[in-house]
Every structure is written in structure tokens, then in C-alpha cells.
Amino acid sequence: MYNAGQGWVMTLASPANPTAQLSFLTHDRTAPVTPDLSIEVDDVDAAYAAVLNSGAPIVRPLQDEEWGVRRFFVTDPNGRVVNVLAHSGRRCPGGGEPTGRQSS
């Protein structure tokens, strides 16, 4: 389990496969809304460009977060807010990895 010291997110990761994760959020103190769903992508900049080109509503523009992710929020066709992110490899404040992944 990893809570990033944020107090509002808890991530559970498989010890055998740390990229398999489930996160729970009570709120998102750094964003205008709490996302309904998060998805990690390999290239968040390319995903952001594709979403912009599609005309989908951006809820929160692309930006880097202090805990080591780069992300944006978009609204899906059903009105759900999706957090699209990639990990930057930076360490979280106070140490630790943003997702519980091993350093490379």
C-alpha cells in the first residue's frame, strides 16, 4: 500500500506485478474535481494532443504534479471525468516512488 503522504489517495499494488494497481481517492486537493477513473498511458503528451484534436472537453489541462505524475482530466461521452496520467520517474516528497514501482 502506498498513500503518497497526500492523505487523500491510497494505492494498492501487486507485489508480484507492481504495475497492476488500484487507487482510491476521497478527493483531489490539487484539482477542480475528483476524477471518476484514472488511466496510465505511456505518452501522456501524445494522449493530450489526441484528446484536444478530438474536441473532448478538457476539465484540467496537462501539468506536472509534485508527486511525480504528469496528467490531465477529460470528460468522457457519459460525463465521467477521466484522469489521464504518466509517471515522470521523479520521487515523491519525503521519498518513495509515486506508484510503488521500483526505481530503474
Side-chain angles (χ1 to χ4, degrees):
M1 179 174 68
Y2 181 74
N3 74 9
Q6 305 296 328
W8 48 268
V9 61
M10 177 180 63
T11 298
L12 306 174
S14 165
N17 180 6
T19 59
Q21 301 174 7
L22 179 62
S23 295
F24 300 93
L25 282 77
T26 58
H27 66 283
D28 190 329
R29 72 168 175 78
T30 65
V33 298
T34 300
D36 296 300
L37 167 72
S38 295
I39 185 165
E40 184 172 356
V41 297
D42 289 330
D43 187 343
V44 72
D45 293 279
Y48 187 68
V51 168
L52 284 175
N53 288 336
S54 78
I58 299 293
V59 177
R60 185 170 189 273
L62 182 64
Q63 66 185 64
D64 295 314
E65 300 291 359
E66 64 187 47
W67 57 90
V69 299
R70 184 165 171 79
R71 68 181 182 156
F72 69 94
F73 293 3
V74 61
T75 302
D76 79 3
N78 294 313
R80 298 291 184 182
V81 176
V82 180
N83 173 28
V84 182
L85 67 111
H87 286 88
S88 65
R90 295 186 322 219
R91 291 179 107 34
C92 292
E97 292 295 323
T99 64
R101 292 181 180 176
Q102 301 299 316
S103 298
S104 40

